[in-house]
Structure formats: C-alpha cells, structure tokens
Amino acid sequence: SQGDPLSERGTEFLAALREAGVPTSQGGAAETEAAELVCGELADGVDEARIARALPASLPSVTRAEAADLVDIAQETYCTT
C-alpha cells in the first residue's frame, strides 16, 4: 500500500525526518511509501540493518546513514502497533 503524506502519521513522520536532516521530496509521497515498506518488513521480522541497506535503492536521495535514521523514525512515528 502507498503511504499518505497528508495523513497524521505521514505528516509526523516527514516532520521528524526533516528535523533529523534526512532529505525528503517536496510532497513526501516517496518517503511515506518507503515507510510503508519499512513497517511491513519490520512486522515480518526483517532485520533493521538489512531494511536500511536496501532503502537507498527506492530512495536514491538518502545515504546509508540517513536510511538507518529513516527506519528508526518510521518505527517511532509511522508504524502502527
């Protein structure tokens, strides 16, 4: 499923990314879509480091360090428990 950058959790997630210095697209759709993937993989028990390593393929604007931040931030703000 695609993330909604205008949803409450989408807005919160994007704000947290920007605060952490992670580059985001203007609309934020690419990032919320990535967050959906991250949350799905975390729910499936995929290792955080592995998720972060794969992220730059779908979000070329983020470095590996930023990808790790994105995974953490998605966990804190985006993934619904």
Side-chain angles (χ1 to χ4, degrees):
S1 74
Q2 294 195 335
D4 179 2
L6 301 176
S7 67
E8 197 174 323
R9 65 185 184 151
T11 324
E12 196 181 328
F13 170 66
L14 290 166
L17 283 183
R18 292 176 181 134
E19 207 170 288
V22 177
T24 59
S25 59
Q26 204 171 353
E31 291 75 22
T32 50
E33 205 171 307
E36 289 282 340
L37 283 173
V38 166
C39 296
E41 292 188 332
L42 287 169
D44 289 342
V46 180
D47 182 59
E48 254 184 79
R50 200 169 135 202
I51 299 171
R53 272 198 305 277
L55 261 181
S58 54
L59 279 179
S61 59
V62 300
T63 65
R64 283 175 66 165
E66 290 163 348
D69 286 343
L70 187 146
V71 173
D72 287 340
I73 292 167
Q75 247 181 319
E76 289 165 26
T77 62
Y78 197 85
C79 303
T80 48
T81 43

